[in-house]
Amino acid sequence: MYDVIIRNGLIVDGTGKSAYKGDIGIRGEKIAKISPSIDSNGDIEINAEGKIVIPGFIDPHVHEEWVCFVDGSYELFLRQGVTTVVNGNCGHSIVPGPEENVIEYYWNNGLMSFKQRDRYKKTFPKWMDFNGYAEAVEKKGTNLNFVTLLGHGTIRWTVMKESQKRPPTQEEAKKIEEIMRHNMEQGAWGISFGLDYIPSRYADIEELTWVAKIIAEYDGVAAAHLRHYIGVKEATEEFVEVGRRSGVRIQVSHLRPTCPEAFEVVRKAAEEGMKILADTIPRSTGHCVSKLRLLQFVMAVSDELFSSGLEGVKKALKTKEGRELIKKDAFIFAGDKSDKFVILSEDPELEGRSIKEIAEEKKQDPDELLLDLLADDKRYVFWLGGPSRADFPDEPHCESIVNNPYVCVGTDEIMGDVEDPYDWYELQRRGGFPIFMKMYLSKNVPIEEIVRRNTSMVSRHFNIKERGELKEGYFADIAVIDLEKYSFPSPKEVNCRNPFIMASGVEYVLVNGKVALDAGILKKPLAGKVLRKNH
């Protein structure tokens, strides 16, 4: 007798081996039997005839570390077939505590709104370190498994008293190392860098290597949002050099497919023996952002305005010198503004129109118009980049990327605000896995290889034990997918005013043996775990 039996599915086991027809029997949290036919019964019987049965996908680059404290269902991931996510990316960390410190850091970097900051300080559970965080998550409950990285940015910001454009002192370095070791020993999986962001951008290669060497002692992973401002290929080479000097496993985060040469840097390093993977966002629209959140982003990316807070940004908008500073620092002022749209507004005449179009009608400079909109008292939602971002465009990857066996999906799903979804959202990342699947199938990559890259390849790289494969004795993290229906709307089909769009085609998802998606219906068994490395 089994708790669950999945029958008659085409089993794609995650190893890259050829698919085969069979049944899977599950007892408790684990796969008890895989066979062409299981004669016993199951308390739950799932008919997977005509469907593929795969290990749950592992997403190595998300920002979901605190979303569970608001909503642990993670429906948008389940509907892609994802059962495990790697949190704590881009230098953003759940330690060091107390949790108010973490919340303040996230707010300073534009990753929480004012409302979220104030609400979460009152409602979030208390924690001081990785172990306290893990216990808080498990008490609240999650439908997904979490692998959690430490964030260099948060740790550096905390120890060095906000954002210092200098190396840490000897005393500060000692404190940074103490925090890292304490949390790694409790089961954290590595560290992430956000090298475009304050304060990680102030770390030179010597500091990065020093941090990475500590992580290497624990056989952990160092992930990086690269230092893109020096060039994508050059930034990839810099982080690969960190891997060479330190010996650490490295994860190159959301590598841009518009630079195939960077993917070749990763391939060459792997072929030379380095433990390295690259994840990429299969395609992305621009960010949809409320005005208040956009003002926070302006603050977060400016060396001069970061420490002055939101009021400093608002003050800068009122002076010529301040406006020039904002135009220099803020990414939204690149280009002619034909790809920056107003999609929701208190003034209906502005909706659905680009900043460039509105400026031409008003006979005004587009930059000055955008600054005026940021400075006035009205509410807006902007679409920054429109239907297709230049760095993650709506087109198939080139052959050298498609054939690179060290490339996986990393959706980089935007956190936003679960309770105010119009504050910050994106329209393609929620479909990263079906988009990748369809794209790579169209390029004649075997389905077995596509599944391998997004399951066992990731689990082996991060050393996630007994996951990422359909194998007897492994945890029953499983997705049953109708491949013909497995899809996500294209940028041309998607409704930019709808932040709730999700993938289709995933019929069942089991997490640690519990059914979290049942014939397409969301359940909340909250059977996910905060996984602890080496525990």
Side-chain angles (χ1 to χ4, degrees), residues 49-222:
E49 183 74 40
K51 314 298 191 302
I52 61 169
V53 182
I54 68 169
F57 288 129
I58 302 172
D59 191 333
H61 191 101
V62 304
H63 299 275
E64 299 291 322
E65 48 267 21
W66 47 259
V67 175
C68 58
F69 296 129
V70 184
D71 179 10
S73 63
Y74 291 109
E75 182 176 5
L76 69 95
F77 289 97
L78 296 176
R79 292 198 180 278
Q80 295 180 76
V82 174
T83 56
T84 299
V85 295
V86 179
N87 284 321
N89 281 289
C90 294
H92 312 316
S93 185
I94 49 87
V95 298
E99 75 290 340
E100 289 96 337
N101 177 67
V102 174
I103 290 169
E104 198 66 24
Y105 167 87
Y106 274 73
W107 175 78
N108 267 282
N109 279 272
L111 303 172
M112 287 182 182
S113 67
F114 278 93
K115 290 187 299 181
Q116 287 174 288
R117 180 190 66 175
D118 295 343
R119 186 166 67 241
Y120 295 167
K121 283 186 177 181
K122 296 175 183 176
T123 62
F124 273 15
K126 304 296 182 184
W127 74 83
M128 289 297 297
D129 53 15
F130 175 83
N131 192 56
Y133 164 79
E135 290 175 353
V137 172
E138 288 168 349
K139 185 175 181 180
K140 186 71 176 178
T142 168
N143 269 346
L144 298 179
N145 299 311
F146 287 1
V147 168
T148 310
L149 301 174
L150 308 176
H152 171 259
T154 313
I155 296 171
R156 192 185 202 271
W157 176 85
T158 303
V159 171
M160 296 176 66
K161 311 303 179 189
E162 300 195 354
S163 302
Q164 305 294 337
K165 197 173 183 178
R166 60 171 174 78
T169 65
Q170 188 174 0
E171 184 178 344
E172 288 166 341
K174 181 180 178 182
K175 182 61 177 175
I176 289 169
E177 181 171 347
E178 287 174 356
I179 292 170
M180 289 172 56
R181 290 190 182 280
H182 174 74
N183 289 282
M184 288 299 293
E185 285 162 10
Q186 289 189 339
W189 292 79
I191 200 155
S192 71
F193 302 100
L195 300 179
D196 271 341
Y197 304 134
I198 299 169
S200 287
R201 70 195 293 178
Y202 301 142
D204 59 20
I205 195 167
E206 284 74 24
E207 182 177 342
L208 301 181
T209 301
W210 163 68
V211 170
K213 282 181 177 178
I214 297 170
I215 298 301
E217 291 182 34
Y218 297 87
D219 197 23
V221 172

Side-chain angles (χ1 to χ4, degrees), residues 62-64 67 76-77 284-289 293 297 389 411-417 424-427 429-430:
V62 304
H63 299 275
E64 299 291 322
V67 175
L76 69 95
F77 289 97
S284 182
T285 64
H287 291 201
C288 300
V289 184
R293 181 63 72 109
F297 291 160
R389 265 180 60 163
T411 60
D412 198 11
E413 164 61 15
I414 290 171
M415 290 172 286
D417 183 348
W424 181 24
Y425 61 100
E426 193 276 345
L427 296 158
R429 300 185 188 184
R430 290 175 166 227

Side-chain angles (χ1 to χ4, degrees), residues 72 74 127 293 313 399 404 418 420 437 442 445 457 531:
Y74 291 109
W127 74 83
R293 181 63 72 109
V313 177
E399 294 300 321
N404 188 328
V418 175
D420 182 8
M437 176 73 77
S442 73
V445 179
M457 183 175 81
L531 305 180

Side-chain angles (χ1 to χ4, degrees), residues 356-424:
K356 181 181 180 183
E357 179 188 352
I358 299 167
E360 287 175 350
E361 181 183 281
K362 293 179 177 290
K363 296 182 171 55
Q364 189 176 0
D365 177 77
D367 285 353
E368 291 301 316
L369 171 67
L370 182 52
L371 288 164
D372 287 347
L373 294 177
L374 291 176
D376 70 23
D377 295 327
K378 295 180 180 178
R379 296 180 181 178
Y380 306 99
V381 175
F382 297 98
W383 196 6
L384 308 175
S388 184
R389 265 180 60 163
D391 49 355
F392 297 102
D394 182 22
E395 58 188 44
H397 295 167
C398 68
E399 294 300 321
S400 66
I401 297 175
V402 169
N403 294 324
N404 188 328
Y406 307 101
V407 176
C408 58
V409 176
T411 60
D412 198 11
E413 164 61 15
I414 290 171
M415 290 172 286
D417 183 348
V418 175
E419 296 169 294
D420 182 8
Y422 289 93
D423 187 51
W424 181 24

Side-chain angles (χ1 to χ4, degrees), residues 397-399 401-405 407 436-454 483:
H397 295 167
C398 68
E399 294 300 321
I401 297 175
V402 169
N403 294 324
N404 188 328
V407 176
F436 187 90
M437 176 73 77
K438 295 291 187 184
M439 182 192 299
Y440 278 52
L441 284 174
S442 73
K443 291 281 192 173
N444 298 314
V445 179
I447 191 168
E448 294 89 346
E449 171 63 6
I450 297 170
V451 172
R452 182 196 71 82
R453 292 192 197 180
N454 294 291
L483 198 54

